[in-house]
Amino acid sequence: MDLDLRKLRYFVRVAEEGHFGRAAERLHIAQPVLSRQIRALEVELGCDLFERTTRSVSLTPSGLHLQRTAPSLLAASNSTVRGVHEAARGANTLRWALRRG
C-alpha cells in the first residue's frame, strides 16, 4: 500500500484544528474536498481516524497513533526532497565547472 503524503498532510491539519471547516480554510481547499480526502485515507488504511458528530471531531485510537507518527514521516519526506534538490544543484554546478575547465 502506498501512503499519499497529501492526504497525510490533510489528516495532520484536521487533527491539529479539530475541525474540518477550519482545517480546509488553512489548507485553502473546500471543506467537502477535504472530507472526501480524509475518508479516502481512512478507506486506504482500513480504519476510522476520526469520530465525527454534527458538532465535533475527535481522534480514534488509530487516529491518535497516526497523529503521533505522521509528523516524522512528513519531515523525512521533506528532507528527502530538499536533499534531492540540493544534489541536483550540486551536479549542475559540477557540470558547469567541468565544461569551463
Side-chain angles (χ1 to χ4, degrees), residues 35-54:
S35 293
R36 281 193 300 274
Q37 292 298 308
I38 295 297
R39 180 56 71 196
L41 178 61
E42 290 175 322
V43 168
E44 290 168 12
L45 293 173
C47 59
D48 289 336
L49 300 171
F50 295 100
E51 292 181 17
R52 300 159 175 88
T53 68
T54 56

Side-chain angles (χ1 to χ4, degrees), residues 5-6 8-9 12 69-79:
L5 295 176
R6 178 179 39 88
L8 191 58
R9 285 184 193 95
V12 168
T69 58
S72 61
L73 180 59
L74 291 171
S77 172
N78 291 336
S79 176

